[in-house]
Amino acid sequence: MEPQFKVKIDNDSARILKELAEKKRDEGLRVVFIGPPGSGKGTQAPLVKEDYCLCHLSTGDMLRAAIEQGTETGKQAKTIMDQGGLVPDEVMVNMIKENIQTPECKKGFILDGFPRT
């Protein structure tokens, strides 16, 4: 079944994504959305997630969840964020590593909002 994009995406981008998905079908597709706040990363990621059965790893969502759950990483992140700083890539990489090992990410994943620094 060919993916149907729900928002306008240029033909070249759609073609490239389809070609990548075909090549990476067996080992899992890895997609990174990079852009400034408000550029559409969070809008496009759920659409691609649905079309390609990938897990969506939003660094912002992961940070909020870790803080809410009171994990050690969440406590570290909260301290840094409360001081107005950016959470270091090392902390984010560890969070991402934990998440990509889950069964939901077996077919691949989308990183949304990484790197943060």
Side-chain angles (χ1 to χ4, degrees), residues 10-74:
D10 68 79
N11 289 335
D12 286 338
S13 296
R15 179 185 51 77
I16 291 167
L17 190 55
K18 288 175 190 173
E19 288 174 7
L20 277 173
E22 285 300 315
K23 288 179 185 177
K24 298 292 187 174
R25 185 178 308 272
D26 294 333
E27 63 186 70
L29 186 63
R30 295 164 187 103
V31 179
V32 179
F33 286 157
I34 299 173
S39 63
K41 301 178 303 292
T43 300
Q44 294 297 323
L47 301 174
V48 174
K49 171 190 173 182
E50 182 180 316
D51 286 342
Y52 292 94
C53 300
L54 305 174
C55 72
H56 176 200
L57 301 175
S58 164
T59 55
D61 290 348
M62 288 190 293
L63 282 170
R64 286 185 286 279
I67 290 168
E68 185 177 304
Q69 294 166 5
T71 66
E72 190 58 39
T73 303

Side-chain angles (χ1 to χ4, degrees), residues 90-102:
E90 180 181 334
V91 173
M92 293 310 307
V93 166
N94 289 334
M95 219 179 250
I96 290 167
K97 281 182 183 177
E98 291 171 11
N99 280 274
I100 62 174
Q101 300 302 317
T102 63

